Every structure is written in C-alpha cells, then in structure tokens.
Amino acid sequence: MVTQLKSPQKPDVIYPDSDGQPMSDNTKQFRWILIIQQNLAWLFADDPNVFVAGDLLWYPVEGDNKIRVGPDVMVVFGRPKGDRGSYKQWEEENIAPQVVFEILSPGNRLTEMNKKQVFYDRHGVEEYYLYDPERNDFSGWMRSEGRLDVIDAIENWVSPRLGIRFDLSGEELQIYRPDGELFTSYEEVSRNLEQAEQRAEQAEQRAALLAERLRAMGIDPEQL
C-alpha cells in the first residue's frame, strides 16, 4: 500500500488595509485629494458600476501582499460602488483602476513617484494624472500602444474616460465637469446651496407680501 503524503497547506496571505502612511502631508494636499475624489464621486453618483476611492490600497496580484500601492484617488469603471478595506483586483473581475490621481507634497520623493508611475504602467492604468499644488504643475500620461505615454498638450486636456477638462490658466488647477461646472469643495457646494435656499425663501416672502397687498386692494392674486 502506497501512502500519499499531503502537500503542506500554504498559510493564508493577509492583505493589510493600511500601509501605515498618512493620507496627506499637509492641508493643501488633503484638500485637493478630497476635491477630486468627492467631485468624481458626485459626477458618477448615478452610475452603480463606477467605483471611486481615495487613499485605498490596491493589490493587483493575488498571493503577493508586497505588490501594492495606494493612489490618492482612483476610478474603476465596471465595478460596483460599495465599501472596501482595500481593492483586491482578483476579487474585482481582475479589472484594474483605469484612472488614478496623485497629489504631490513636499514630502514626496522623486524616486517614490517614479516607482508609482512604473507601477501604474505595469498594472494597466489607462490614465495617470499628477498635480503639484505648490508649483501649480500638472502632468498626465495616457496608455498608448501598451504603455503609459506622456500627454504633451495637457492644457485644456479632456480625460477620455472621465470627460473632465483640466485648465491651467489660473493660479491653480481648475477642473471642469462635462457640463461645464467647476469642481468645487464640499464647503463651496454647501455655501452655494445655503445661498440658493436663502434666495428661494426671500422670493417666497416677496410673493407673500405682494399677494397680501393685492388682497388689500380687493384683488384675488389667485385669479391673476
């Protein structure tokens, strides 16, 4: 009788949800990460199969938890919205993020950013954008013939995947939605909404006052 030896089971690979690094080094970098992530989330809010995340670790290769990166913002078309501790590509129909953004800070080293660009090139990113808010320097790369190639004419460039336009004519980067609306912060959106509500309330008050005056004159405003 031949006894077959069982192959030793490989230990389960743990994919940490955090790399121990802070989301940002300063308030300006943090603000830009939030502006891009939140506005892209709003832009694709009605599409259940567009996943937008900020500062989420991406593991492209099953079984290797050392191959990973945490883009400041990433967009994945073809994957459902929802909470994730990390983006494990093999659990996502092997769909890699198509668009990624990085926001530079003084703490970012050139070597680190070069490694990230190589990573994005190797693992299938279609569009990669890098913004330095301190110098108002914006660069982009787009996949062409199997590799990420620099976008030379980046001024007023329109992202093929996102449909958004990048404007560098001012003191800082401006990003426009496909409908021409400018990307804004949550505070600005909240302020504009509050102002719109105040204008609507004032219009109602003026209408009520006018109706009262018409009634005093013996005129029924509902008959006008």
Side-chain angles (χ1 to χ4, degrees):
M1 180 177 180
V2 179
T3 302
Q4 293 183 341
L5 297 177
K6 293 183 179 180
S7 300
Q9 290 185 344
K10 294 182 179 180
D12 292 336
V13 178
I14 297 175
Y15 303 92
D17 292 344
S18 172
D19 57 5
Q21 299 298 317
M23 181 176 178
S24 61
D25 292 339
N26 56 57
T27 56
K28 185 176 289 188
Q29 184 189 25
F30 182 73
R31 176 171 63 87
W32 271 103
I33 292 172
L34 288 183
I35 286 175
I36 293 175
Q37 188 274 329
Q38 290 177 349
N39 279 271
L40 288 176
W42 292 333
L43 180 60
F44 295 104
D46 294 331
D47 191 332
N49 290 309
V50 179
F51 174 63
V52 181
D55 194 41
L56 186 72
L57 281 180
W58 164 26
Y59 293 94
V61 180
E62 184 176 11
D64 194 334
N65 60 9
K66 302 299 183 184
I67 302 176
R68 66 188 187 187
V69 72
D72 286 335
V73 180
M74 68 180 184
V75 184
V76 191
F77 291 84
R79 297 308 301 150
K81 290 176 169 50
D83 294 327
R84 293 162 172 81
S86 61
Y87 189 84
K88 303 181 184 71
Q89 189 170 316
W90 59 93
E91 295 180 357
E92 308 282 355
E93 297 186 6
N94 206 34
I95 298 177
Q98 292 93 352
V99 186
V100 297
F101 290 83
E102 293 288 350
I103 309 300
L104 275 179
S105 74
N108 291 127
R109 295 174 299 173
L110 181 60
T111 302
E112 174 190 357
M113 301 314 298
N114 287 341
K115 284 182 178 180
K116 283 192 172 185
Q117 183 175 338
V118 170
F119 186 102
Y120 297 144
D121 190 8
R122 180 175 299 160
H123 294 289
V125 168
E126 296 177 11
E127 301 176 39
Y128 168 40
Y129 299 104
L130 176 64
Y131 182 51
D132 181 352
E134 292 294 335
R135 297 189 302 156
N136 191 31
D137 185 50
F138 182 68
S139 303
W141 293 261
M142 183 174 174
R143 187 163 295 276
S144 175
E145 298 182 354
R147 60 184 293 270
L148 285 177
D149 197 11
V150 66
I151 302 169
D152 290 321
I154 195 68
E155 172 65 26
N156 283 319
W157 171 262
V158 176
S159 161
R161 271 288 189 175
L162 306 176
I164 60 178
R165 179 172 64 86
F166 303 100
D167 179 7
L168 288 167
S169 62
E171 295 182 357
E172 64 178 7
L173 175 66
Q174 292 184 311
I175 307 176
Y176 291 88
R177 297 163 50 102
D179 61 6
E181 291 293 322
L182 181 67
F183 272 27
T184 55
S185 67
Y186 173 81
E187 290 82 358
E188 291 170 318
V189 171
S190 179
R191 187 185 309 116
N192 291 338
L193 180 59
E194 183 177 332
Q195 290 173 349
E197 291 175 346
Q198 289 175 350
R199 289 193 296 269
E201 183 178 347
Q202 290 170 356
E204 289 181 1
Q205 291 174 349
R206 288 194 296 269
L209 181 60
L210 176 60
E212 183 178 341
R213 289 176 177 174
L214 289 172
R215 290 191 184 95
M217 297 169 60
I219 301 173
D220 185 354
E222 294 183 1
Q223 300 298 320
L224 295 178

